[in-house]
Amino acid sequence: MSRIAQRFAELKAANRTAFMPFITAGDPNAETTCALLAKLPAAGADVIELGVPFSDPMADGPAIQASSLRALDAGMTLQKVLDVVRRFRKIDQTTPLVLMGYYNPIHAYGTARFAKDAAEAGVDGLITVDLPPEEDEVLRLPATAQGLDIVRLATPTTDDVRLEAVLDGAGGFLYYVSIAGITGTKSFAESDVRGAVARLKAASGLPCVVGFGMRTPEQAAGVAAFADGAVVGSAIVERMAAAGDKNERIRDALEFCASLAQSVHSARGVLE
Amino acid sequence: MNQFPPNSFRTGPDISGHFGAYGGRFVAETLMPLVLELERAYEAAKRDPSFHAELDGLLKHYVGRESPLYFAERLTEKLGGAKIYLKREDLNHTGAHKINNCLGQILLARRMGKTRIIAETGAGMHGVAAATVAARFGLPCVVYMGEVDTERQRPNVFRMRLLGAEVRTVTSGSRTLKDAMNEALRDWVANVHDTFYIIGSAAGPHPYPAMVRDFQTVIGSETRAQMLEREGRLPDLIAACVGGGSNAIGMFHPFLDDPEVEIHGVEAAGEGADTKHHAATLSKGTPGVLHGARSYLLQNRDGQIQEAHSISAGLDYPGVGPEHSWLKDQGRVTYFSVTDKDALDAFVALSKLEGIIPALESAHAVAHVMQVAPRMAKDKLIAICLSGRGDKDAMTVAAALGETT
């Protein structure tokens, strides 16, 4: 069983929702990312989303755009992101880690070589924002051959017809983008998201996690009551950007993640 | 000729929006249902005679088509070689070829019931054209424009505002056309229910490259008929500037299956194609994925997009339309590049010799022809797509020539 399947099975048995923090790899440098990753599981992260920086992140709002540029300015590359993952796997063999980013860096790396190197480094899944089902075979085939899950996105614009295409080839979990919009910019109506998640879970049989637009422990708790996972990204990245130095950056991120995790984990009425 | 070409160069894209290995639909899932809906709506419009009738009427009475094919007599004399004709897209309403495409797209937007228009712009000519058609049809319009470009194309910023559009200055990235397109895509994702994105170049996700091309082929179709009428035969060479490549693909497409017509696309070499400061995507780039399509890109080894450079804001783009990428690989079109300096010289030459001030973008095509025409016999024929007029560039050129304004 893959690390992702294993983790969601454990959470289901415990009637708990996954807390899934997103951070940008290399923001503001690889050392900070490595130090933070090492401590995220203890702060309550059940699945980690690691952003691969790209120069032109079309689906991201200002916070993650800025984090990507900081990472690129510090020399982050896809190769170095895999190095960060390797270091994480030396100390943690159970927490699933999913890379989230855009296709062009993978295209430049070479899809087959990337799938092999990513699997060897200890990556569990790939979310490639601008690679819809119609175009993703070039990555999906080598990735799944290496045991990597291709995580698909569903959105408020995904109707039932479209959902079939989204689910065909989907692996790991389904990622519901709670808003029609870019990351970290606007908030969703909880009732809309609840209905959408119910529909997706019924159609897919995969765990369904929710992301985009979640900024507070309260919002995360609201979603965690019915979703299988809650992703928070921009709000963590913003806190890190506002911190004074490396230690403060890591401390602030961990404190915030711990409060988010607490809210998510207690949302179904089961205390830790 | 006793040998037929192996196939037609005019049948692309395939059903999934690919020109060979290029094109496609590389967009976020939120946008997928929209680009699929757009494709269906465009296919239906293409088959609807009333759509074409309305578009043709507007092109005639609002844009002023057909545009002249003008024999540049003094330029021809000065160069001493082939006869040079200019396809005068600069004489269109709004001063460039961009209006051809904007009218087609806004008619489509109206058919689809969309009530808000967004656009990206580099030089501002597409922004002006989008703002113009939005005004004509009474729809609100937001134009994204990089900060660098709002500075160097200030007259167009004012024109757009006068037309009632909101110009949003983009301060991310290189603050040019690429970043304006990122911001427009972000706006579209956030406003999917009511917004129609009028892309100005033959780029972006399918169906945009094919659709923009179709709306621009009026340039090449007219040129073909006009040249047959004037000279009794097709031109030996046609040339157009290539940024994203909409005027070029519109000029080229009707000639692709005429093997006797040589076709040259002209990119911006900036400070030199062998320096770091250029926009010669097809000449110097490598295939990758940006803004919804696979095409040649200026990128580093790690797949990060590099900043382009050109004195001309409309060519200052690190990507290019997917069909051009395919035509390059097929060898049907040859792509060259021209430096800022040579484009400036051509800008001045055409102004002084013909009384025509070309857009800096179009001046790249003129500069290339100034290099090749003297080597061609006097009975050869060249047609250049003069895609736009240069009023907007007066300040930039004055500064580059060291004149005070």
Side-chain angles (χ1 to χ4, degrees), chain A:
Chain A
M1 194 185 271
S2 74
R3 267 189 286 261
I4 292 174
Q6 176 78 33
R7 177 53 50 97
F8 278 103
E10 290 162 8
L11 288 163
K12 190 173 183 185
N15 191 30
R16 236 167 65 154
T17 304
F19 167 58
M20 305 171 59
F22 168 100
I23 57 170
T24 300
D27 171 28
N29 51 56
E31 282 311 306
T32 303
T33 305
C34 286
L36 185 55
L37 281 179
K39 292 177 177 166
L40 275 174
D46 299 298
V47 178
I48 295 171
E49 281 189 17
L50 189 60
V52 179
F54 180 48
S55 54
D56 294 80
M58 276 105 55
D60 284 299
I64 292 176
Q65 288 175 41
S67 74
S68 300
L69 289 182
R70 285 193 295 271
L72 292 174
D73 286 346
M76 191 40 67
T77 64
L78 185 52
Q79 179 78 55
K80 289 180 185 170
V81 173
L82 296 183
D83 291 340
V84 167
V85 176
R86 277 186 206 100
R87 283 174 65 179
F88 174 68
R89 277 287 167 249
K90 282 191 185 149
I91 53 166
D92 186 311
Q93 289 81 47
T94 56
T95 307
L97 188 144
V98 175
L99 294 185
M100 183 162 184
Y102 295 80
Y103 180 45
N104 201 51
I106 297 174
H107 181 278
Y109 195 108
T111 49
R113 186 167 76 92
F114 171 73
K116 185 166 172 288
D117 291 356
E120 279 175 10
V123 172
D124 301 295
L126 303 172
I127 304 174
T128 312
V129 176
D130 56 350
L131 204 54
E134 283 81 350
E135 304 285 354
D136 81 356
E137 193 175 277
V138 63
L139 179 62
R140 179 164 41 88
L141 298 183
T144 50
Q146 296 288 338
L148 295 170
D149 283 323
I150 294 292
V151 174
R152 291 274 177 74
L153 301 157
T155 77
T157 60
T158 308
D159 60 18
D160 286 338
V161 175
R162 181 69 199 155
L163 188 56
E164 276 185 43
V166 168
L167 293 179
D168 185 12
F173 54 89
L174 200 57
Y175 188 127
Y176 182 64
V177 176
S178 65
I179 51 165
I182 52 178
T183 53
T185 49
K186 57 184 181 184
S187 280
F188 47 85
E190 197 179 295
S191 56
D192 292 350
V193 177
R194 183 190 296 267
V197 168
R199 186 168 68 98
L200 295 178
K201 282 166 88 162
S204 76
L206 288 170
C208 181
V209 314
V210 175
F212 281 47
M214 224 176 305
R215 308 191 59 84
T216 65
E218 293 70 32
Q219 282 176 319
V223 163
F226 55 83
D228 296 308
V231 183
V232 179
S234 298
I236 299 173
V237 167
E238 275 170 21
R239 253 158 231 263
M240 292 177 66
D245 60 17
K246 181 184 168 189
N247 290 337
E248 199 180 312
R249 211 168 272 130
I250 293 168
R251 190 195 65 211
D252 286 3
L254 289 172
E255 275 177 18
F256 185 51
C257 284
S259 71
L260 290 162
Q262 168 79 32
S263 296
V264 169
H265 290 158
S266 53
R268 296 195 200 170
V270 180
L271 293 173
E272 290 183 76

Side-chain angles (χ1 to χ4, degrees), chain A residues 52-61 65 69 72 76-79 103-109 129-135 138 153-159 162 166 177 179-182 186, chain B residues 16-18 23-34 36 172-173 178-179 181-183 185-187 189-193 287-292 294 297 299-306:
Chain A
V52 179
F54 180 48
S55 54
D56 294 80
M58 276 105 55
D60 284 299
Q65 288 175 41
L69 289 182
L72 292 174
M76 191 40 67
T77 64
L78 185 52
Q79 179 78 55
Y103 180 45
N104 201 51
I106 297 174
H107 181 278
Y109 195 108
V129 176
D130 56 350
L131 204 54
E134 283 81 350
E135 304 285 354
V138 63
L153 301 157
T155 77
T157 60
T158 308
D159 60 18
R162 181 69 199 155
V166 168
V177 176
I179 51 165
I182 52 178
K186 57 184 181 184
Chain B
S16 60
H18 294 89
R25 287 175 285 229
F26 294 86
V27 296
E29 184 56 38
T30 311
L31 291 179
M32 274 307 288
L34 280 87
L36 293 170
S172 58
K178 155 180 97 79
D179 310 281
M181 195 151 179
N182 287 338
E183 254 350 283
L185 284 164
R186 290 179 185 124
D187 180 311
V189 168
N191 296 286
V192 288
H193 54 289
V289 171
L290 178 69
H291 293 154
R294 188 169 187 276
L297 299 176
Q299 58 183 331
N300 70 15
R301 285 181 55 204
D302 199 45
Q304 306 299 339
I305 310 306
Q306 290 175 317

Side-chain angles (χ1 to χ4, degrees), chain B residues 81-83 231 233 236 376-381:
Chain B
K83 282 179 83 172
E231 295 281 352
R233 65 183 185 89
D236 299 286
M376 293 169 67
K378 288 190 176 189
D379 62 350
K380 297 290 183 185
L381 303 173

Side-chain angles (χ1 to χ4, degrees), chain B residues 97-109:
Chain B
H97 70 291
K98 296 292 188 184
I99 190 82
N100 303 328
N101 167 51
C102 285
L103 276 171
Q105 289 200 44
I106 203 155
L107 291 183
L108 196 55

Side-chain angles (χ1 to χ4, degrees), chain B residues 95-167:
Chain B
H97 70 291
K98 296 292 188 184
I99 190 82
N100 303 328
N101 167 51
C102 285
L103 276 171
Q105 289 200 44
I106 203 155
L107 291 183
L108 196 55
R110 216 178 40 162
R111 280 173 75 100
M112 294 173 74
K114 302 294 183 183
T115 55
R116 175 176 178 266
I117 299 299
I118 59 170
E120 85 294 339
T121 198
M125 298 313 277
H126 174 58
V128 165
T132 296
V133 299
R136 168 66 182 74
F137 288 94
L139 298 178
C141 177
V142 172
V143 179
Y144 289 91
M145 188 169 188
E147 191 176 31
V148 170
D149 296 336
T150 58
E151 280 158 20
R152 60 180 160 175
Q153 310 279 210
R154 189 155 292 284
N156 273 344
V157 175
F158 180 68
R159 287 171 78 195
M160 286 184 268
R161 292 198 172 126
L162 195 60
L163 290 159
E166 179 192 339
V167 180

